[in-house]
Amino acid sequence: MPRAERPLELDGSPLVNFAFDLRTLRGKAGSPSYRELARRAHYSSTTLSDAAGGRRLPSLEVALAYVRACGGDVDEWTRRWHAVAAETAPTAGRSVEDHEGAPYVGLRAYGGGDAGRFFGRERLADDLLQRIGIQRFVAVFGPSGSGKSSLIRAGLVPRLTSTVLAFTPGAHPIEECAIHFAAAANRTTGAVYHDLTGDPRGLHRLVRQFLTAERSDGEIVIVVDQFEELFTLCHDERERSRFIAMLLTAAAADGSRCRVVIGVRADFYPRCALNPELAEALQDAQVTVGPMTPDELRRAITQPAIQAGCTVESALLTTLVAHTHGRAGVLPMLSHALLETWRRRRGHALTLAGFRASGEFDGALVNTAESVFGTFDERRQEIARDLFLRLTVPGEGTEDTKRKIAVEELGDDPVVAEVVDQLTQARLLVRSRDSLELAHEALIKAWPRLAAWLSRDREGQRVHHELTESAAVWERHDHDLDALLRGTRLAVVRDWADSGGCPNVKERLFLDASLAAYEREQTAKRRQIRRQRRSIAVLIVMLLIAASTTVYATSSQLQATRERNVALALNAVNDAAELSRSVPGVAAQLSLAAYRLHPSPVTRDTLISTAGAARRFPFHPGDDSSPVLAGDGRIVLVGRGGQDRTELWSLAEMNVTKAPRTTLLGGRSASVSADSGTAATAAADGTVRLWDIREPAKPRELATLPAAPGSVALSPNGRILVASSADRTPPASVTSDSSEKVTLWDLADSRRPRGVEFRGLPIRAFAGNEVLVTSTAGETATHRGEREQIWDVSSPGSPTLTGESDSQDSQGYIIGKESHFSSYESVGVSKKGGGTYLVWDVKPPRSSRLPALMDTVDGTLTAVAFSANGAFLATADAVGQVTIRNTWTPREPVHIINLPGRAGDLRALAFEPNGRVLVGISFGENPSVWRWSLDTESAAHTACEYGTSRKIIEEWARYFPDVAYRSPCG
């Protein structure tokens, strides 16, 4: 059974009250045993029990582990622990200002006056002194808090025998350099600034002039600490570049008597490397300030105390070295923790108890900042917040940086001066005669309250800093109007001020002056706009009066011109088709000129017709052949039945005289898939051969099928083959008891086709990938003549009859196409009788009739084609006319294309996949391959490929006599 806790004697002491509240927190958590708490907190049960024993204050880590295990508020207990630690310290009650004679400097960097108590960096200081003796330019890099400023100011500068100019660049680095050089040379700042800005060698000349006047053989060492301010505070890129060039020139010039040392925060190394001159100078001129070794840390901790007549407890020394070794940027917090421990020293000894009472290593700085901030009332806290934000620059890809400000930026408010004095006495701020800055950037990272302020509105802080700098420029230029904010910058600053920003008196005066100037400018613009509007109104009235007198005359002239243009354009296109037989290029350009003169469906289609005639290529398939055109218009199969072979023509280059011609075995019948990838040929020996023709010049035989076919047909996707024993071109007139043999082949595996007999039905065509149309002739009780039967062959092994058509003409033919354009799945065309054709849906739900999609199409058709999505239907008739219809509005043709006279009959049509180009093959006097660009601009481009000739100028004068010549392609 666990032992009961020792009762507490509630004497009102802070330590006992702290222990009592810990026990109360444990009770609220359900009074878990200390063994259970140890499991949760990862500390021993004895350690946790002692924490609530009331005899001594536990460490912050143990106290917070106890609180977390009981579900308490960590932030609240952290503040509570620091308060108790301060009250129970051995020398509690000493004022914050009690720093006189302290052996440690706290947050601020060691300066020249602190050289006697600067220990631990002797080896690095010797190395830096040796490097500056050899090289004229040295850069000291180190993380924030690594001690680089202390190394330069307390380790290097006091040991130099030369004249030293040490400064930080600030917002105007050349001006800062001029101020310090003028003080050393006893000259006016204005004259020195003029010399520095007039020439990059100005600093070099000033150094030599100064040393000559002093009659000295020595040199000047220019020390620029916190060099990163060049990127955080100086926003003038030109001034920044001039300052860098000025330093490097002074160090590298012939006869130079100047050496330069810069101290740079390590995270700004990439910004330095972006300057080519500085990057070159840094190649072999770097000293890196890294973490201190344990021996160096021990000297830095113990030697200042020994000089002050104090000792450092061994336990404290061990704890401090363990906390500090290997950690970057912690030296300011170490120095501050030592200072606070010295304030709580026991006699002449710095003890571990005093260190813990100060808030330990990470808490000492927070404890100091919070203790001072906690003494302020609400107004002073708001002033302190604004002050710390002014002294900090939000990083852009780097850590946040401290910012030095002029004391005059704070104004004359005595309450502000009081807050500054208290923060300075606590060594949180460092104040010189005319400037103020944070004691160290470590405060930015270590103080949670400041970090929260910074994260709350980082963009607002950047706006505030810009306002401050702009107000300073305005002051320096004696309230020049050109220095006021305008446009977007003014709008951003005004929004910041209206949303809770806190500008000081000078900034508010500057912002008010900018707003007043903006309002004056807007008022002047409004007056000017009103004057302009009145002038414009008068001019408009005068123009309307003048225009009204010419409207009647010009409208009559325009109407006459339009009527003349229509007549000339129609006269030109009437002759263009016949002209295209002899001079196709001239005919195409003449049609283009007519279209430009009067755009209309007639002139547009004539342009498409003549441009296609200009792109016509001869085609010589032979007398005993019939062409089969692929659905994408890229391949033509020419079957030669007498020779039992099929020629494969590639139209890819639209020049069949040079196109590859490859012979395939079998010439009785041929078929090709819609994508020009697969072909099938029927041979005289009763076999069907499948071919891979994706490379037309190198067709590859895939399989030979045992059959006795008269015709073959491939589905558009090439997956199903139908072979029949009767020829289907033209279709045979067979009776219903025909014994024609039809075989369906499943080509899913093209090397192992599977066939099934499909008896007694002559093949007509595929209507889509999985719909087969067959025909049957004869007379039934309800029907006389030929009918089309629609079969679902999605499963080739078991075809299913889904419907019948009412076509009356047994000499007609049928084609089909899957449609992705409308709600219909497939559309087809078949001959109805009397020289008309019916377009209908060939894949309805299971029914005995096929609903028609459109009215009949008149004429004797020689070729039919659907676009890839089934939206457009192209038909060619016996008089050489091609009509393109929208399948939804068939009685309103989209295009009417005419072939030149005696060009022959079109035997095949196909749309290219994009639907904007139609390919055709004609037989007759001049067999040809045609290619019509249905897009007007593409047709115009084709017409203009032939250039301008004298003939087109002559034809222009003939057809457009009253119109000045203007090249239709110009």
Side-chain angles (χ1 to χ4, degrees), residues 422-439:
Q422 289 186 255
L423 294 174
T424 303
Q425 291 172 3
R427 299 199 179 185
L428 296 174
L429 304 182
V430 176
R431 178 172 180 172
S432 62
R433 184 168 54 87
D434 56 359
S435 65
L436 185 70
E437 62 181 326
L438 296 179

Side-chain angles (χ1 to χ4, degrees), residues 390-715:
R390 284 180 180 273
L391 294 170
T392 310
V393 178
E396 298 182 10
T398 59
E399 295 181 355
D400 297 339
T401 311
K402 68 177 183 176
R403 169 178 177 261
K404 181 185 292 186
I405 65 172
V407 173
E408 63 181 15
E409 185 178 316
L410 302 178
D412 301 325
D413 190 339
V415 179
V416 175
E418 177 189 337
V419 172
V420 170
D421 287 340
Q422 289 186 255
L423 294 174
T424 303
Q425 291 172 3
R427 299 199 179 185
L428 296 174
L429 304 182
V430 176
R431 178 172 180 172
S432 62
R433 184 168 54 87
D434 56 359
S435 65
L436 185 70
E437 62 181 326
L438 296 179
H440 200 278
E441 288 168 348
L443 187 63
I444 300 174
K445 295 183 290 185
W447 190 14
R449 187 184 297 276
L450 177 55
W453 289 338
L454 290 171
S455 63
R456 194 168 301 160
D457 185 14
R458 301 180 70 84
E459 188 58 34
Q461 295 164 50
R462 294 189 179 95
V463 173
H464 190 184
H465 293 328
E466 181 180 355
L467 173 63
T468 301
E469 293 167 5
S470 299
V473 172
W474 184 60
E475 288 280 349
R476 286 199 300 270
H477 290 81
D478 196 22
H479 296 185
D480 187 356
L481 291 177
D482 290 336
L484 294 174
L485 295 175
R486 285 178 172 81
T488 303
R489 294 177 63 204
L490 176 59
V492 170
V493 174
R494 180 177 57 187
D495 290 345
W496 168 80
D498 292 344
S499 60
C502 299
N504 61 21
V505 175
K506 291 183 179 180
E507 293 165 356
R508 172 53 68 182
L509 288 174
F510 171 69
L511 179 56
D512 290 343
S514 298
L515 291 171
Y518 172 76
E519 187 58 36
R520 288 194 299 271
E521 291 173 358
Q522 293 302 307
T523 301
K525 286 182 180 179
R526 285 193 290 270
R527 285 198 297 266
Q528 182 180 5
I529 290 172
R530 284 196 295 270
R531 288 195 298 268
Q532 290 176 345
R533 287 177 176 172
R534 285 194 294 268
S535 300
I536 291 172
V538 173
L539 288 174
I540 289 174
V541 171
M542 294 176 65
L543 287 173
L544 288 175
I545 294 172
S548 63
T549 62
T550 60
V551 167
Y552 178 77
T554 55
S555 62
S556 299
Q557 180 64 33
L558 289 174
Q559 181 63 27
T561 301
R562 281 195 294 268
E563 292 176 356
R564 182 205 64 183
N565 290 346
V566 171
L568 294 176
L570 292 179
N571 181 50
V573 299
N574 283 336
D575 295 344
E578 186 62 28
L579 189 62
S580 65
R581 296 185 63 207
S582 56
V583 280
V586 172
Q589 290 195 19
L590 186 64
S591 300
L592 177 58
Y595 177 75
R596 301 275 195 231
L597 193 64
H598 173 58
S600 68
V602 174
T603 56
R604 177 201 62 196
D605 290 345
T606 303
L607 170 60
I608 293 172
S609 300
T610 55
R615 291 289 301 274
R616 178 180 64 88
F617 291 92
F619 178 64
H620 303 290
D623 297 334
D624 62 339
S625 62
S626 58
V628 177
L629 182 60
D632 59 4
R634 293 186 298 172
I635 294 294
V636 175
L637 298 182
V638 180
R640 300 186 184 279
Q643 303 174 28
D644 196 26
R645 64 185 177 87
T646 297
E647 290 183 355
L648 185 152
W649 301 62
S650 173
L651 305 183
E653 299 179 358
M654 275 306 299
N655 188 341
V656 296
T657 60
K658 298 181 181 180
R661 304 186 199 180
T662 307
T663 301
L664 306 178
L665 184 60
R668 294 191 62 188
S669 177
S671 181
V672 59
S673 62
D675 63 356
S676 298
T678 307
T681 59
D685 61 359
T687 60
V688 174
R689 285 173 169 78
L690 292 179
W691 305 87
D692 181 346
I693 59 171
R694 286 175 295 182
E695 295 185 28
K698 298 178 181 179
R700 183 165 54 90
E701 185 174 346
L702 298 175
T704 300
L705 307 180
S711 63
V712 292
L714 274 171
S715 63

